[in-house]
Structures are given as structure tokens and as C-alpha cells.
Amino acid sequence: MECIKIKTSKRNELIDITSEIQAIVSKSKIKEGICVVYCPHTTAGITINENADPDVKSDILNRLGAIVPENENYSHSEGNSDAHIKSALIGNNQTLIVSDGKLQLGSWGGIFFSEFDGPRQRQVLVQLIKQ
Ligand code: ZN
């Protein structure tokens, strides 16, 4: 297992970690297999989406904020229920196909660490399974 450390700088933020994940795949020399990317935090997540136009990131964050407002009548006493709900919606892991030593993401796909309760020090766990 490999671990990537991420320092987030905003409360809500999508951070492209595609190159870090691909570097782990390349270092492993695995040509065909599966790459599991897992976020061990309950107020963050992992998503795959377009990394060409940065407006896609801001649209996702803005719409999530509209669906799940920060200040509602939530029960959770820690005061970050919106972050837990966004994490549940986005999900905390992704499974990727590795072929010819490359993550198969399509033309515009990128892997994003999704921060919903930053800024914080975070980590992402990566496990590779060789075919
Ligand atoms: Zn909490």
C-alpha cells in the first residue's frame, strides 16, 4: 500500500491527484491490473471527473453547496454535517483499471481528492492489484 499526503487549503476544494496516482502505478511496474484509491476520512472523498475545464470543479462544488447547505438544523454536534453528507454523496473511493501501465481515465478524466471540511492535513491510500 502507498500513502499520499495532501495539505488542503480551503473548506471545500477539489484537488487533482491524477499525476500522484499515476506515479505510484508507474513505480510499481504493473502493466495490467486494478488500482484502488481510498480516502480514510469521513468529511472528504474521491471522485473522477473532467480535469480540463476548471469550471467543472467549481460547478460541482457550488451545486453540492446548494444541495447541502453548511448551516442547517443538523443533529451532529461537531458542526460539520454538511461535510459528512457531501462525503457520503461523492464516495470515499474509486477503483481504476490499469492497462499498459497507465490509468484508464478517458480523454478528460482526472482523479480528485474532494475536501469538504478543510483546511486539513489529509491522506489518500492506494493499493495496486496485479492481474
Ligand atoms: Zn463530524
Short mmCIF file of all heavy atoms in Angstrom, two decimals, residues 76 78 80 84, ligand 1:
data_model
loop_
_atom_site.label_atom_id
_atom_site.label_comp_id
_atom_site.label_asym_id
_atom_site.label_seq_id
_atom_site.Cartn_x
_atom_site.Cartn_y
_atom_site.Cartn_z
N HIS A 76 -25.77 16.40 14.33
CA HIS A 76 -24.37 16.10 14.66
C HIS A 76 -23.71 17.31 15.33
O HIS A 76 -23.64 18.39 14.76
CB HIS A 76 -23.66 15.73 13.36
CG HIS A 76 -22.21 15.44 13.48
ND1 HIS A 76 -21.68 14.60 14.42
CD2 HIS A 76 -21.16 15.87 12.73
CE1 HIS A 76 -20.37 14.53 14.26
NE2 HIS A 76 -20.03 15.29 13.24
N GLU A 78 -20.70 18.14 16.09
CA GLU A 78 -19.40 18.65 15.66
C GLU A 78 -19.54 19.86 14.72
O GLU A 78 -18.56 20.59 14.50
CB GLU A 78 -18.61 17.54 14.97
CG GLU A 78 -17.12 17.70 15.04
CD GLU A 78 -16.38 16.58 14.32
OE1 GLU A 78 -17.00 15.87 13.50
OE2 GLU A 78 -15.18 16.42 14.57
N ASN A 80 -20.17 19.87 11.46
CA ASN A 80 -19.69 19.70 10.08
C ASN A 80 -20.51 18.64 9.33
O ASN A 80 -19.99 17.92 8.48
CB ASN A 80 -18.21 19.35 10.05
CG ASN A 80 -17.90 18.04 10.79
OD1 ASN A 80 -18.77 17.46 11.44
ND2 ASN A 80 -16.66 17.59 10.70
N HIS A 84 -19.93 15.74 6.10
CA HIS A 84 -20.19 14.29 6.15
C HIS A 84 -21.15 13.89 5.03
O HIS A 84 -20.97 12.85 4.38
CB HIS A 84 -20.80 13.91 7.50
CG HIS A 84 -19.83 13.96 8.64
ND1 HIS A 84 -18.79 13.09 8.77
CD2 HIS A 84 -19.77 14.79 9.72
CE1 HIS A 84 -18.12 13.35 9.89
NE2 HIS A 84 -18.69 14.39 10.47
ZN ZN B 1 -18.24 15.43 12.25
#
